[in-house]
Amino acid sequence: MSDRRDPAAIAADAAELRRLRRRIDALDRRIVALLNERAALGREVGRVKAGGGRGPIRDPEREREVLLRVTMSNGGPLSQADLLALYRRLMAATRRLEAADRRSRRAGTE
């Protein structure tokens, strides 16, 4: 099926698409940097907890607080369910980093 629109309109749409995709690419780079910054802070929290003997890696109460704050700050268009799923995955990934750090510390002291 051919596009019967004006060639100028097709070119304008293509240019707009490229512009929007460049913006998405730039945002993706920022999001990756922020996710890694958040993960690094989570690892620091883990080091403090481990150093003070402050219990398990998972803190369900803290996770509930984070999820509540995320829910309250969501203005869309992402649904609450999708945003919460992303954050649950993020917290799980951070817990895995913290667990690996604890294993490394134990291996280094044995």
Side-chain angles (χ1 to χ4, degrees):
M1 181 174 165
S2 66
D3 194 336
R4 296 178 188 252
R5 295 180 303 146
D6 174 20
I10 294 170
D13 286 350
E16 178 68 1
L17 187 58
R18 282 192 304 275
R19 186 188 69 77
L20 291 169
R21 286 180 174 164
R22 279 194 303 272
R23 287 183 62 196
I24 288 171
D25 293 345
L27 279 173
D28 285 343
R29 286 188 295 275
R30 288 173 44 202
I31 290 168
V32 168
L34 289 169
L35 289 171
N36 280 309
E37 181 180 351
R38 189 188 191 288
L41 287 169
R43 291 175 82 185
E44 278 298 310
V45 167
R47 280 192 270 284
V48 170
K49 287 191 307 188
R54 297 200 51 206
I57 290 170
R58 186 154 193 249
D59 183 346
E61 182 59 32
R62 171 65 180 154
E63 289 182 14
R64 275 190 292 279
E65 291 171 10
V66 169
L67 294 175
L68 178 61
R69 258 192 303 285
V70 165
T71 299
M72 290 172 29
S73 67
N74 184 23
L78 283 177
S79 72
Q80 297 291 33
D82 286 340
L83 190 61
L84 291 173
L86 289 167
Y87 263 81
R88 285 185 181 106
R89 290 290 301 264
L90 177 59
M91 289 187 289
T94 303
R95 284 194 306 271
R96 284 191 297 276
L97 288 171
E98 188 176 337
D101 287 346
R102 285 190 182 191
R103 285 191 302 275
S104 293
R105 278 193 296 279
R106 280 196 305 266
T109 58
E110 295 179 358

